[in-house]
Amino acid sequence: MPALFIFAIIIVVRVITLGTPDPSVPENSVSSGFGFIWNPDFSKLGDPKIWLAAAGQIFFTLSVGMGTIHAYASYLKSKDDIVVSGLSTAATNEFAEVVLGGSIAIPISVAFFGIATTTAMAKGGSFDLGFASMPLVFEQIPFGEIFGFLWFLLLFFAGITSSVAMGQQVIAFLEDEFGMSRKKAVLSLGFAVLLAVQLVVFYLKFGFLDEMDYWAGTFGLVVFAFAETVIFMWIFGAEKAWDEMNEGGDIKIPRFFFYIMKYVTPLMLFIVMMWWLINDAIPILLLKGVAEENLIYVWGSRIFMIIVFGTFLYLIHIAWKKKRMRNGLSN
Amino acid sequence: MGFQTSGVIFMILAYLFIGGLVAFCLYKLLFSKTKK
């Protein structure tokens, strides 16, 4: 993890010192790139699409709504400090993605290609921005090979550490519910991922990954995060949840957040989901605007996600049944 | 479009806020008085 920060800081310094790479086009500069990110456009706050994208983004980067937090939490003792740990996780994440990440890909892309091209690239997905635009940029700067190497090593570290975290709940599930050894659980998951990832690699350009990213990495996270908030604050009980969170904490969470968690978060997520259902659900479900030649791959991606989801539901069903039988026998 | 004053202010505020949070967490993690 420290290596990730060191590489990122080296690249940020390089980006900031680039200035205006082509003096004949003064509007294409690193400063314009920062302006592109930071100049506020308050009219966008009224667009629920932005809220859905922002919620999906922050849930994804903090691993909320995908079971990782639950898996990690299960290893904690009741007196462990989750307030400072949670705050540190969120703060370090924001430092990495807003301060460091926000100072690399977009500013450098604007400096070399201008705002219009960068916007077009960003619309093609963050994949295009990170993997397609950055190599072009590295070709044009001195010692570009070294910075390119650092950039892709950085993405590799970021990806592999996140994958370890995201795989943990599946590994723990296989260990706890099916009595697998850790080695066997890791190998089983690794093999399944290796098989599944072939589809993503070969059908990437047909929108296979983008479709998965939309449903599993953005929309699905909002749905699950909404369910988690309701279960934690309304079914488990807000006061009990609050005591659980603060127990063992070196600092107390300001009471203001109690009301945010109980009322604002579920209400906001509910509004975003309802807005989606009314305005976007039908065109997105019917794949309006998707190129004819990509349709089969996008449908394939959906069927693949349904199979994966169905497999997990089936495994949970078996685990549940086994547990009930065990409990029945012990009674 | 350039880098507008409001953009610079937003960026500085965000960097200070995030940097402040990281510094606070580091302080708490390194010098916590709570016995574990």
Side-chain angles (χ1 to χ4, degrees), chain A:
Chain A
M1 194 53 77
L4 191 145
F5 280 93
I6 293 165
F7 293 157
I9 289 166
I10 293 171
I11 298 175
V12 167
V13 171
R14 183 68 203 116
V15 171
I16 291 170
T17 51
L18 268 175
T20 309
D22 184 357
S24 63
V25 196
E27 66 272 21
N28 289 359
S29 64
V30 171
S31 156
S32 296
F34 277 103
F36 180 64
I37 298 176
W38 290 102
N39 292 342
D41 178 0
F42 294 106
S43 66
K44 293 280 181 199
L45 289 177
D47 182 357
K49 248 186 207 163
I50 297 291
W51 290 93
L52 179 69
Q57 160 70 15
I58 194 64
F59 292 157
F60 184 80
T61 55
L62 290 176
S63 303
V64 173
M66 57 178 85
T68 307
I69 299 287
H70 311 80
Y72 280 173
S74 69
Y75 298 111
L76 295 174
K77 295 181 191 80
S78 64
K79 294 275 178 206
D80 280 339
D81 184 351
I82 57 165
V83 182
V84 174
S85 311
L87 190 62
S88 314
T89 310
T92 325
N93 176 70
E94 290 313 290
F95 185 75
E97 80 182 23
V98 177
V99 177
L100 297 176
S103 307
I104 299 176
I106 292 179
I108 204 173
S109 182
V110 171
F112 278 98
F113 307 119
I115 286 172
T117 314
T118 303
T119 313
M121 281 177 176
K123 276 185 182 154
S126 51
F127 188 86
D128 283 3
L129 207 60
F131 289 91
S133 74
M134 292 300 281
L136 294 174
V137 170
F138 290 129
E139 269 177 17
Q140 299 180 44
I141 58 175
F143 304 107
E145 298 89 342
I146 296 169
F147 289 107
F149 168 74
L150 287 179
W151 169 255
F152 284 107
L153 199 61
L154 186 124
L155 290 186
F156 174 75
F157 277 129
I160 204 81
T161 49
S162 303
S163 305
V164 169
M166 284 193 276
Q168 183 52 41
Q169 61 270 42
V170 183
I171 293 166
F173 173 68
L174 294 175
E175 280 182 297
D176 294 350
E177 305 298 336
F178 292 92
M180 282 190 187
S181 66
R182 186 162 185 81
K183 198 173 168 185
K184 208 170 160 191
V186 170
L187 282 173
S188 306
L189 177 68
F191 185 67
V193 170
L194 186 70
L195 284 183
V197 89
Q198 303 307 317
L199 296 167
V200 173
V201 172
F202 287 108
Y203 303 142
L204 180 74
K205 62 179 173 193
F206 303 110
F208 197 91
L209 181 66
D210 287 339
E211 189 64 12
M212 288 174 85
D213 183 43
Y214 181 78
W215 291 106
T218 305
F219 187 78
L221 298 185
V222 173
V223 173
F224 282 109
F226 171 73
E228 284 176 10
T229 317
V230 170
I231 290 168
F232 194 50
M233 293 306 281
W234 289 89
I235 297 173
F236 181 71
E239 287 299 341
K240 226 161 82 179
W242 191 252
D243 291 342
E244 283 277 338
M245 282 189 291
N246 279 299
E247 196 180 349
D250 199 24
I251 50 170
K252 290 273 170 251
I253 309 171
R255 188 71 182 169
F256 165 72
F257 286 103
F258 176 87
Y259 301 103
I260 292 201
M261 288 175 69
K262 190 170 179 185
Y263 302 106
V264 180
T265 309
L267 190 68
M268 279 293 288
L269 294 176
F270 184 74
I271 291 171
V272 168
M273 285 190 299
M274 283 303 111
W275 170 87
W276 178 87
L277 199 67
I278 295 162
N279 290 291
D280 261 7
I282 291 168
I284 287 177
L285 284 169
L286 297 178
L287 297 174
K288 292 269 187 299
V290 174
E292 190 86 17
E293 65 271 23
N294 290 355
L295 279 176
I296 189 160
Y297 299 99
V298 177
W299 274 112
S301 177
R302 288 180 175 185
I303 292 166
F304 176 70
M305 280 186 280
I306 292 169
I307 292 171
V308 172
F309 191 61
T311 308
F312 275 111
L313 285 181
Y314 180 64
L315 289 174
I316 292 166
H317 171 71
I318 295 175
W320 206 297
K321 232 165 99 180
K322 275 169 86 175
K323 207 167 231 176
R324 278 175 70 174
M325 274 173 68
R326 268 203 309 271
N327 288 345
L329 286 175
S330 63
N331 285 339

Side-chain angles (χ1 to χ4, degrees), chain A residues 34-36 38-40 103 250, chain B residues 2-4 6 14-15 28 32 34:
Chain A
F34 277 103
F36 180 64
W38 290 102
N39 292 342
S103 307
D250 199 24
Chain B
F3 202 178
Q4 296 159 5
S6 53
Y15 279 28
K28 277 285 167 196
S32 170
T34 310

